[in-house]
Amino acid sequence: MTMMTKLISFLILTVGTVGAFAPLPIQIRTPTKLFGDFAQQVTGGELEVMMQEMTQPIVVDAYATWCGPCLLMAPEFEEAAKELDGKVRFVKLDTDKEENMAAALRIEGLPTLLFLEEYKGDEPGTSAALKGRLEGALRKDMIVKLCDHYFFDGPVPDFMSS
């Protein structure tokens, strides 16, 4: 139990959509709080309803409680949710509890971030459009930059360009 309370330093490699690697030095104290006041825990069914009744873009954090990088990213995700509160909805999906939804979303690595916005096409039964997905732990500023890029026509973040 004493190991759980010591300060642990991690170096996480984050994979960008173009395959570039960026080192992320992050320090946390374990155990990490997975949920805060801004990022909401959802079930697969709740996520489906959110996608059908979408009023603002959604960022999904597909995670598992045993996943070290997921634990490292949890406070970063919460801080991004706090910064973009009212503009973007941030939700967390436990892939162990929601295996069917994780399979439907083709979650293969953890953590995976999905950037979804309202679908504006003609295809029946489609409610959300996937704007982007990334696997790997990201820091708050990177998550915010990705939201700006995918949802608000911001520039491509530096860590995505090669």
Side-chain angles (χ1 to χ4, degrees):
M1 190 59 120
T2 56
M3 293 300 288
M4 295 293 287
T5 57
K6 289 184 179 178
L7 181 61
I8 302 171
S9 295
F10 289 96
L11 181 65
I12 301 296
L13 293 179
T14 303
V15 180
T17 55
V18 292
F21 290 92
L24 291 177
I26 299 176
Q27 293 183 340
I28 63 165
R29 293 186 195 277
T30 54
T32 298
K33 181 179 177 186
L34 285 175
F35 312 109
D37 298 325
F38 295 93
Q40 176 187 358
Q41 174 71 26
V42 296
T43 65
E46 290 168 336
L47 181 57
E48 280 190 54
V49 170
M50 284 179 191
M51 289 190 296
Q52 292 169 358
E53 300 173 356
M54 189 176 290
T55 58
Q56 58 187 199
I58 298 172
V59 179
V60 179
D61 173 13
Y63 76 97
T65 57
W66 49 263
C67 166
C70 299
L71 297 174
L72 289 171
M73 190 176 74
E76 302 287 331
F77 189 76
E78 177 67 17
E79 286 299 312
K82 182 178 179 181
E83 183 169 323
L84 294 173
D85 187 38
K87 297 177 186 174
V88 178
R89 189 171 197 174
F90 284 74
V91 299
K92 297 182 71 66
L93 181 76
D94 186 334
T95 58
D96 286 334
K97 291 181 179 177
E98 302 296 333
E99 292 179 8
N100 290 338
M101 180 56 82
L105 295 172
R106 296 187 180 128
I107 304 301
E108 297 175 0
L110 297 175
T112 295
L113 292 182
L114 303 174
F115 297 83
L116 306 169
E117 74 175 2
E118 184 179 1
Y119 176 71
K120 297 180 176 141
D122 296 330
E123 192 172 324
T126 304
S127 57
L130 178 66
K131 296 292 287 187
R133 75 182 290 139
L134 279 102
E135 292 181 3
L138 297 175
R139 292 172 54 160
K140 175 203 135 199
D141 61 321
M142 297 170 112
I143 298 168
V144 170
K145 286 177 183 179
L146 286 167
C147 288
D148 184 49
H149 170 64
Y150 288 130
F151 303 136
F152 307 112
D153 298 320
V156 175
D158 294 337
F159 61 89
M160 288 178 63
S161 53
S162 54

